[in-house]
Amino acid sequence: MELKGVILAGGLGTRLHPLTKVTNKHLLPVGRKPMIYYPIEKLTAAGVTEILVVTGLEHMGDVVNLLGSGREFNCKFTYKVQDEAGGIAQALGLAENFAAGSSVAVILGDNIFQADLKPYADAFRKQSEGAKLLLKEVADPERFGVAQVDGDRIVGIEEKPAQPKSNLIVTGVYFYDHRVYEYIKTLKPSGRGEFEITDVNNIYIQKEQLKFEQLSGWWSDAGTFRSLNKVNELVAKEPPQ
C-alpha cells in the first residue's frame, strides 16, 4: 500500500498568544528545532517521501521559506492553504488531489512523540482497507477525543467530553484509506462550527473498519503554554540528533 504524508499545520494558535500573533505556532521552537520538523522527521523515517503541508494563508510564506522543496529532509513537499480555521477534517479534505487514491498518514503539526512511526505505518500498510488510530493514556482526557475500547476495537469516540469514559485519547496521528474524502464530504459542522475528525473516525467505526494501537513512549501536543513547556522538557531529555 502506497502511503503519503499529510501534516496539518493550520489554526490560529490563539491559546499561545502573544507568541503566535506574528507567526504560526508550528514554527515555534521545540528544543533545537522548529516544532514542524518533528512530524516531518517521523514521516520520513517511516518511509514516507511525499508530504503535503496544510497551513493558513497568513503564514504560508514563512512555512515555505523554512521548509523549501523538501530536499533537506529527503522528501518532496506540496503545500495547500486552508482559508479558514474550519477543523481538522476540513483541512484533511484538501489532501484529496494530492493523495490521488493513495492512503495517507496524517499528523497534527503540534504533536511531538518519542516512538518510531515506522512499525505503526507498516502495520497499516498491511491493512486492505479502513483506518488506524494511535491512542495514548493521559491524565487530562477531557482536552481531546476520548476513545471507548472493547477488546481490540474502538466502539466510540467522544470529542472533548466533560465526563470522559476513559483515559485513552486519540492522538493527532491518523492513517486513512482513500475513502476518507468521501466520508468528509458527508459531514456537517459541529456545534463549534468546525468539521470534526471525530465524526470521520466514527464513520469508520460504524463500518467496522477502524483499527488502533497504543502509542509507546511519551507523547504530547504543544498547543498550550503548559503542553509546550512539557514537550520542551521531554525533548531536552532525548539524545541529540
Side-chain angles (χ1 to χ4, degrees):
M1 178 192 293
E2 185 182 4
L3 194 58
K4 294 185 178 181
V6 179
I7 296 175
L8 302 182
L12 302 175
T14 51
R15 291 177 298 174
L16 287 172
H17 275 185
L19 296 183
T20 50
K21 286 186 74 173
V22 294
T23 191
N24 182 291
K25 76 173 177 182
H26 305 89
L27 304 185
L28 295 176
V30 173
R32 297 185 176 186
K33 305 172 187 176
M35 188 187 300
I36 198 170
Y37 277 35
Y38 292 89
I40 292 169
E41 290 169 354
K42 292 297 184 182
L43 286 170
T44 56
V48 177
T49 57
E50 292 186 59
I51 299 173
L52 173 68
V53 179
V54 180
T55 193
L57 180 61
E58 186 176 3
H59 302 302
M60 175 59 83
D62 294 332
V63 173
V64 175
N65 285 339
L66 175 68
L67 300 181
S69 68
R71 182 172 59 184
E72 178 184 346
F73 301 91
N74 296 313
C75 68
K76 179 181 178 182
F77 289 128
T78 300
Y79 298 94
K80 279 275 190 179
V81 170
Q82 185 182 18
D83 289 318
E84 69 279 324
I88 295 170
Q90 183 198 65
L92 177 56
L94 299 174
E96 183 173 11
N97 290 337
F98 162 80
S102 297
S103 294
V104 288
V106 184
I107 304 182
L108 302 188
D110 67 350
N111 272 229
I112 314 293
F113 53 93
Q114 184 180 37
D116 181 1
L117 190 63
K118 190 174 189 302
Y120 305 103
D122 286 347
F124 177 68
R125 287 181 173 108
K126 295 175 182 176
Q127 284 185 220
S128 59
E129 61 183 5
K132 183 185 190 76
L133 304 182
L134 299 187
L135 307 183
K136 192 70 181 171
E137 197 165 339
V138 300
D140 52 351
E142 65 280 355
R143 289 180 54 219
F144 306 97
V146 176
Q148 294 174 257
V149 172
D150 182 10
D152 62 352
R153 297 190 309 122
I154 298 177
V155 296
I157 301 171
E158 289 184 282
E159 184 63 27
K160 299 180 180 176
Q163 296 182 318
K165 294 177 180 175
S166 81
N167 289 328
L168 274 178
I169 61 101
V170 178
T171 69
V173 186
Y174 320 87
F175 299 93
Y176 296 110
D177 67 7
H178 67 278
R179 295 178 182 86
V180 68
Y181 307 105
E182 63 186 72
Y183 300 156
I184 289 172
K185 290 171 185 175
T186 69
L187 300 184
K188 295 180 180 179
S190 68
R192 301 193 302 165
E194 296 188 356
F195 294 91
E196 305 286 356
I197 200 68
T198 293
D199 293 339
V200 174
N201 294 332
N202 280 324
I203 292 173
Y204 279 102
I205 289 173
Q206 292 163 13
K207 296 181 179 296
E208 299 185 348
Q209 293 181 347
L210 182 64
K211 297 183 180 294
F212 77 93
E213 287 188 70
Q214 289 199 46
L215 186 61
S216 64
W218 56 258
W219 167 91
S220 181
D221 71 332
T224 67
F225 282 106
R226 183 176 180 180
S227 60
L228 181 60
N229 288 336
K230 175 185 174 183
V231 84
N232 267 287
E233 291 172 1
L234 291 167
V235 166
K237 296 175 183 177
E238 292 293 297
Q241 292 184 353

